[in-house]
Amino acid sequence: MIELKEEQVETILEKAIEGINSDDDYQLVSMTKKIKYNNALSFFEAAKYIKKNRTFWMSSEEDFYLVGIGQAYEIIAEESRFEETKKAWNQLLEKATIYNPYEQPGTGIVALGGLSFDPKKPTTPLWENFKPSHFTVPEFLMTKHNRECYLTVNILVRKNDHPRQLANEWRDLENSLFQKASIEKQMLTITEKKEIEPTEWKETVRKAKEKINHSDIEKIVLAREMYLRFNENANIGSILQKLLDTHPSSYIFAIEKDEDCFLGATPERLVKLEKDHLLSTCLAGTAPRGKTKEEDQAISEGLLHDQKNREEHDFVVKMIKNAIKDCCTHLDVPNEPIIYPLTNLQHLYTPVTATLKKEYSLFDIIEKLHPTPALGGTPKEASLQFIREYERLDRGWYGAPIGWLDSNQNGEFAVAIRSALIKDTEASLFAGCGVVKDSNPDEEYEETNIKFLPMLSVLGG
């Protein structure tokens, strides 16, 4: 299993420590090796009683998994969050020692995390553990990509550390994490279910519609919350297993911060970067799935030709194209959307591809794209101002960019929808919809009910 020998580990650590000049200085040492295939969720579960702050990421398109355990380094930014996060990431890489002969996506130094939807909106205790920009480089990272499996160990070393002691601690922890752990199958029971101010939410939809009809705003996305209480503490591993079983076409994610966990199954990619090749996704316009093949096909055709949904989708396509055009070359945008089917829902889908210019980074693209019209509205600033003023919800990381980036110039971020914030025996679920000039508050309310279903169904609802 181990290609990186113990004496190599000690030598790498020793050289890194020798290069540290002062007691206040540090260096991140990252070592990657190929391992035999290990079940990603089992690895996640094995860490439950060993390390806090686990992270799980799955992209079904490439059979790609990332599981982060613990934290070797954190990047937190409150002000000028995109610029500060990018600066801190680059400074970390400049000082790091990286042993990674594979350079596969998701290996080497990888930071996993996300950002809040709107740092200008006052925060509440609900999201106190999730900062405006918060990324973690885990102590242990298991990566599964194209049927190959890798383990990356990240160790923050200081001047007076001892290489052998660090190597021994690393080996002992690794052995503990690779103990086979079965996923505890949990049948959660919802003891309390409460929609947060549904009548007031419909009234906000009416206000948004009125604002649109008397201004230059074309669309405002409004979100709402559902509160659940369970009969016992929720087991995150069990919930993830259910999400993997029921939403194989979505990004499955879980980000633990102390006792809280934000998780979900989102179909919406924000951006993917492989070296300089960029892929973004326009996913807007929603309909349910049919109960029969014929009904499903009829609903798909209706969605493709529905004026409201096509307008909503076109807003997103135009915005993404305009947002990234100055940062890219070879921009390619199809003229017509196609249907993107999921377990409970289907969406209008348009992929956008381009080549990223050398002077721009993944964080630059995220800043330009977030929030897309599918989560904020259009024009961006005017719709955000309405949301800040009227939406009775602390979105936190809901609807915001979550994902990962690595030291090999790869990364991928999704939009955190179809999600829930778990706090032991409680959960807050989030869903939103786009309000346009012809919106009907009752119909928008029913659309959010449909969007609650992916998380509600795996939480005992």
Side-chain angles (χ1 to χ4, degrees):
M1 171 174 145
I2 299 177
E3 292 184 3
L4 186 60
K5 296 179 180 177
E6 288 188 36
E7 56 267 29
Q8 286 179 279
V9 172
E10 288 187 33
T11 301
I12 293 168
L13 290 170
E14 187 174 12
K15 286 183 178 179
I17 293 168
E18 287 174 355
I20 299 173
N21 297 318
S22 70
D23 292 343
D24 296 330
D25 203 4
Y26 61 85
Q27 189 175 149
L28 184 67
V29 179
S30 178
M31 296 169 282
T32 301
K33 60 185 179 181
K34 189 177 283 188
I35 61 175
K36 292 178 182 178
Y37 172 68
N38 192 74
N39 182 276
L41 199 52
S42 177
F43 186 68
F44 181 90
E45 190 73 1
K48 182 163 60 172
Y49 301 111
I50 300 171
K51 286 283 183 180
K52 283 189 174 183
N53 299 320
R54 301 172 296 170
T55 308
F56 187 93
W57 176 273
M58 187 278 285
S59 171
S60 62
E61 280 186 8
E62 302 174 299
D63 191 27
F64 181 82
Y65 291 80
L66 293 174
V67 182
I69 306 298
Q71 54 189 48
Y73 193 84
E74 283 191 297
I75 298 174
I76 297 174
E78 308 260 354
E79 304 292 333
S80 304
R81 56 188 184 151
F82 289 102
E83 188 62 33
E84 290 301 314
T85 302
K86 180 172 69 172
K87 180 180 177 182
W89 172 247
N90 290 334
Q91 287 176 343
L92 177 66
L93 296 188
E94 286 172 9
K95 295 177 65 173
T97 294
I98 303 173
Y99 175 86
N100 181 15
Y102 312 102
E103 296 194 356
Q104 292 293 317
T107 64
I109 296 179
V110 176
L112 303 104
L115 304 103
S116 63
F117 181 82
D118 182 6
K120 294 182 180 180
K121 183 85 180 272
T123 59
T124 67
L126 182 68
W127 290 96
E128 61 187 352
N129 287 327
F130 294 80
K131 307 305 180 185
S133 176
H134 199 162
F135 288 85
T136 298
V137 177
E139 293 176 64
F140 293 87
L141 177 74
M142 196 187 87
T143 306
K144 181 173 180 277
H145 185 226
N146 291 336
R147 299 186 180 180
E148 298 289 354
C149 207
Y150 306 87
L151 180 70
T152 298
V153 181
N154 299 297
I155 305 173
L156 198 68
V157 299
R158 300 188 181 275
K159 184 176 177 62
N160 297 317
D161 284 338
H162 298 283
R164 180 164 294 179
Q165 180 182 346
L166 289 176
N168 288 339
E169 290 173 358
W170 163 63
R171 185 186 63 246
D172 292 343
L173 268 173
E174 181 187 339
N175 290 336
S176 298
L177 290 170
F178 280 100
Q179 300 295 320
K180 286 195 179 288
S182 58
I183 309 303
E184 177 189 335
K185 291 185 179 179
Q186 183 184 41
M187 298 298 291
L188 279 176
T189 300
I190 296 174
T191 59
E192 183 182 354
K193 176 182 172 185
K194 181 169 65 176
E195 295 182 47
I196 307 300
E197 300 180 333
T199 303
E200 291 83 350
W201 185 83
K202 289 182 186 180
E203 181 57 35
T204 306
V205 172
R206 292 186 186 95
K207 288 178 181 177
K209 183 178 175 181
E210 184 177 341
K211 183 73 172 179
I212 290 166
N213 286 319
H214 294 89
S215 71
D216 294 332
I217 300 178
E218 297 176 294
K219 176 184 176 185
I220 299 170
V221 179
L222 295 175
R224 67 189 188 96
E225 178 186 350
M226 179 183 290
Y227 169 84
L228 304 179
R229 183 182 288 276
F230 308 117
N231 60 320
E232 59 182 325
N233 285 352
N235 184 311
I236 303 303
S238 177
I239 297 170
L240 285 174
Q241 183 65 71
K242 291 174 185 175
L243 289 173
L244 290 167
D245 292 341
T246 55
H247 299 278
S249 301
S250 295
Y251 293 96
I252 310 298
F253 68 91
I255 301 171
E256 279 186 341
K257 298 294 181 189
D258 295 330
E259 304 305 319
D260 300 348
C261 185
F262 182 49
L263 51 71
T266 175
E268 187 164 349
R269 174 191 290 120
L270 185 66
V271 61
K272 179 180 180 180
L273 191 66
E274 291 183 324
K275 303 301 183 184
D276 63 352
H277 180 71
L278 185 148
L279 170 64
S280 187
T281 297
C282 309
L283 198 72
T286 306
R289 297 299 303 270
K291 295 180 180 178
T292 64
K293 187 176 180 180
E294 292 75 19
E295 183 186 16
D296 199 50
Q297 182 63 34
I299 294 172
S300 298
E301 288 295 323
L303 180 59
L304 279 169
H305 297 94
D306 180 77
Q307 184 178 351
K308 175 188 176 294
N309 280 291
R310 284 298 294 266
E311 285 181 0
E312 185 177 344
H313 187 80
D314 289 345
F315 287 150
V316 179
V317 174
K318 289 176 185 176
M319 177 271 178
I320 290 178
K321 182 179 179 180
N322 290 331
I324 68 174
K325 65 181 181 182
D326 293 336
C327 304
C328 301
T329 59
H330 305 100
L331 186 61
D332 182 47
V333 185
N335 292 324
E336 296 287 329
I338 60 173
I339 292 294
Y340 191 85
L342 298 167
T343 305
N344 304 102
L345 306 169
Q346 48 190 320
H347 300 282
L348 296 175
Y349 168 84
T350 299
V352 176
T353 59
T355 301
L356 185 66
K357 294 179 181 177
K358 289 183 179 180
E359 60 267 34
Y360 292 98
S361 73
L362 184 56
F363 285 115
D364 294 322
I365 296 297
I366 295 169
E367 182 175 15
K368 289 179 178 296
L369 289 177
H370 175 72
T372 68
L375 273 301
T378 186
K380 180 190 291 190
E381 289 306 319
S383 57
L384 280 177
Q385 186 56 45
F386 183 93
I387 292 168
R388 287 180 196 128
E389 189 172 347
Y390 292 103
E391 188 175 80
R392 303 185 183 192
L393 171 67
D394 178 8
R395 291 194 187 190
W397 282 23
Y398 165 73
I402 55 160
W404 63 273
L405 68 160
D406 68 22
S407 50
N408 306 313
Q409 295 180 300
N410 305 299
E412 187 165 25
F413 280 75
V415 181
I417 56 175
R418 316 290 191 268
S419 54
L421 179 62
I422 309 291
K423 292 173 175 278
D424 295 329
T425 61
E426 301 175 307
S428 291
L429 280 60
F430 308 94
C433 62
V435 180
V436 294
K437 61 183 180 181
D438 297 324
S439 287
N440 178 299
D442 291 324
E443 290 176 0
E444 302 296 357
Y445 171 79
E446 290 304 324
E447 182 176 322
T448 57
N449 281 335
I450 293 172
K451 290 176 178 177
F452 277 129
L453 286 176
M455 288 309 305
L456 197 58
S457 63
V458 300
L459 292 175

